[in-house]
Amino acid sequence: MGKKTGDPLKMRVKTSLGLILAIALSACGGSNTPDQLVQAASDAEDSDAIQLVFKDITLEQGDDQGQLLWKVHAKSATYSEDRQIATVEEPLGELYQDGKLVYRVEAKRGEVHQDGNLILLKDGIKAIAVEDEVVLEGNELEWRPQADVLVVNNTLTGSHPQVEAKAEQVKVYSRLRQMELIGKVEAITHSPQLRMNTEHLVWLMKDRKVVGSIPIEIKHYEGEEDNKQKLAEEPEMPPSHTALAGGSMVDLENESVTLMNQVTLTAANPALEAKSDSMTWDLKSQSVGANQKITLDHLDEQLTLVGDRGTVDLANQVAYLTQNVRVTGGRNQSDLSAENVTWSFGTEEVEATGNVTYRQVNPPLFLQGARAFGQLKDQNITVSSGDRTRVITEIIP
């Protein structure tokens, strides 16, 4: 046993486990002097059941390069040789990665394991990710500095100026500045105003993106910024739009959402449902785009539009579909086909161009031309010709 050179109030206590702690007495503690600690540690070397108890102390651990890994101040600390664990009460600590402060933590109690390479904190956990200003609260915390992972378990809540979240577990990787949320995940973003429910999310804090690779429900809320308090307090607050998808990426900086794998986006007013295997949802412009087959259903009027690609302007309630477009349904079971269709689902007006055909059941009618416009709801469709085409009208008996 030898004193660490330099600060006379610090020493290294080395047990048979190899646990190395720099123990600094608080100036106001006064319960143990350096000489008493040295004597206690020396006496313990010859004992089979070592148990050292220190009051009002600071524990430190460094890596092989001498960089600080963590520093924990505690009301008391007990080291048990047979259990090879240091138990601390009311720990208040700082956790480092590559010599840089990454987390501030506190709890009611905790343990130091495995030569200081594992710290467990329990009850009343609070952890602050310093660089990203994220505050995590839960009942259990695990810190493994060599693996660069901090884990908070058991009813986690997290808060940030832009994001609030709940989950059963969170894993934070300081070098990557990534947070993984696992189990019964609910995340709320304030700008844009979204509520996400899923079983797994990854928050890329540096890139300001939230990524999900499994089924997710995303609700969008329009309104003033002060709605964010209501959004946090009222889980049943009716959304303006709801999206279901097998995967997603929310870009917080650009206020956009990429939806993948069996996507369904529903607008509340009017009741419109958009389906595709991939969509880009621009929340700033309130528009949705699909570069592959897209289906739109007007639920009140029972109209269905299908196209190879399309854009939906949710703000102005207008849809633009291109390539192999077909509009079916309505009260008279009409069927409109064209290369391009512009549909106002607010006024229910439609304009179609390119190889237009129109059929209806009652009364039976078939029209063909270059352009069509009118209202499917009222069976009021006009088909016109272009410069080199003529309108074909067929009355079906």
Side-chain angles (χ1 to χ4, degrees):
M1 166 70 67
K3 291 186 178 180
K4 181 180 178 181
T5 59
D7 190 341
L9 294 182
K10 291 186 179 180
M11 66 200 72
R12 290 188 178 270
V13 179
K14 184 173 183 179
T15 71
S16 59
L17 170 67
L19 175 67
I20 301 176
L21 301 175
I23 303 176
L25 287 176
S26 169
C28 61
S31 57
N32 294 289
T33 66
D35 289 340
Q36 288 172 332
L37 292 177
V38 172
Q39 185 62 48
S42 298
D43 294 342
E45 287 182 344
D46 299 325
S47 172
D48 292 333
I50 299 175
Q51 182 167 314
L52 301 176
V53 179
F54 305 116
K55 301 293 184 181
D56 194 16
I57 66 167
T58 298
L59 310 178
E60 295 181 357
Q61 174 73 26
D63 60 17
D64 294 338
Q65 289 72 43
Q67 290 184 319
L68 189 61
L69 286 176
W70 50 263
K71 179 191 296 184
V72 177
H73 180 82
K75 183 178 181 180
S76 66
T78 302
Y79 178 71
S80 175
E81 172 69 2
D82 57 345
R83 295 181 61 220
Q84 300 182 349
I85 295 173
T87 302
V88 292
E89 297 295 327
E90 298 183 19
L92 183 65
E94 296 178 345
L95 309 180
Y96 293 77
Q97 192 62 258
D98 305 322
K100 177 183 177 181
L101 174 64
V102 289
Y103 306 108
R104 289 190 173 93
V105 297
E106 60 182 83
K108 292 183 179 179
R109 57 194 177 95
E111 298 174 349
V112 179
H113 296 239
Q114 300 175 5
D115 290 343
N117 290 316
L118 170 64
I119 293 180
L120 300 177
L121 301 180
K122 299 180 180 180
D123 297 337
I125 300 298
K126 184 176 182 180
I128 300 174
V130 176
E131 186 169 6
D132 294 292
E133 301 180 350
V134 178
V135 180
L136 302 173
E137 296 183 71
N139 291 312
E140 296 177 356
L141 180 146
E142 177 181 316
W143 166 238
R144 296 181 181 270
Q146 290 184 343
D148 183 29
V149 59
L150 179 141
V151 182
V152 181
N153 291 305
N154 198 347
T155 315
L156 161 87
T157 61
S159 60
H160 177 268
Q162 195 171 25
V163 179
E164 296 180 33
K166 296 179 182 179
E168 293 180 336
Q169 182 186 74
V170 65
K171 296 181 180 180
V172 188
Y173 305 89
S174 64
R175 290 192 182 102
L176 297 174
R177 290 175 63 188
Q178 292 184 7
M179 181 182 298
E180 185 179 7
L181 299 157
I182 304 168
K184 297 181 180 178
V185 179
E186 180 183 53
I188 295 173
T189 65
H190 299 310
S191 181
Q193 296 184 72
L194 301 174
R195 185 193 301 275
M196 292 170 273
N197 292 92
T198 184
E199 289 296 315
H200 185 271
L201 279 179
V202 177
W203 180 11
L204 310 178
M205 294 179 284
K206 181 180 179 181
D207 299 328
R208 299 180 65 189
K209 294 178 180 177
V210 182
V211 179
S213 58
I214 63 174
I216 187 171
E217 178 186 66
I218 302 177
K219 295 181 178 180
H220 174 231
Y221 300 83
E222 295 177 343
E224 300 298 326
E225 185 67 17
D226 57 8
N227 276 356
K228 67 182 182 181
Q229 185 64 30
K230 292 179 64 178
L231 182 59
E233 296 175 354
E234 300 180 22
E236 300 304 322
M237 181 178 173
S240 303
H241 308 94
T242 301
L244 300 174
S248 64
M249 184 186 72
V250 178
D251 188 329
L252 297 173
E253 183 172 2
N254 295 311
E255 297 189 27
S256 66
V257 182
T258 301
L259 300 164
M260 299 156 284
N261 301 330
Q262 298 181 337
V263 181
T264 299
L265 176 68
T266 304
N269 186 25
L272 179 72
E273 191 173 81
K275 296 180 180 180
S276 183
D277 202 50
S278 177
M279 290 185 191
T280 301
W281 185 8
D282 189 323
L283 297 164
K284 283 185 177 179
S285 64
Q286 298 185 53
S287 65
V288 175
N291 288 325
Q292 51 189 288
K293 185 177 180 179
I294 181 171
T295 300
L296 303 178
D297 287 312
H298 193 303
L299 303 180
D300 293 335
E301 299 299 330
Q302 297 181 337
L303 280 174
T304 299
L305 287 78
V306 180
D308 286 354
R309 60 187 62 211
T311 301
V312 182
D313 185 336
L314 297 169
N316 296 307
Q317 299 184 351
V318 179
Y320 309 92
L321 275 67
T322 61
Q323 298 181 12
N324 300 314
V325 184
R326 189 174 181 185
V327 185
T328 58
R331 298 173 185 174
N332 63 341
Q333 294 299 302
S334 59
D335 187 331
L336 174 69
S337 298
E339 286 302 307
N340 305 285
V341 169
T342 299
W343 176 46
S344 173
F345 49 89
T347 62
E348 299 182 31
E349 294 178 341
V350 64
E351 179 179 355
T353 59
N355 299 321
V356 177
T357 62
Y358 174 75
R359 294 178 177 87
Q360 69 179 38
V361 175
N362 186 22
L365 180 65
F366 173 81
L367 299 173
Q368 185 175 5
R371 180 175 178 269
F373 57 92
Q375 284 193 325
L376 295 175
K377 174 183 176 182
D378 299 331
Q379 303 180 27
N380 182 10
I381 295 292
T382 300
V383 177
S384 63
S385 64
D387 293 339
R388 299 182 181 179
T389 63
R390 60 190 179 90
V391 177
I392 298 175
T393 304
E394 182 180 343
I395 307 298
I396 304 173

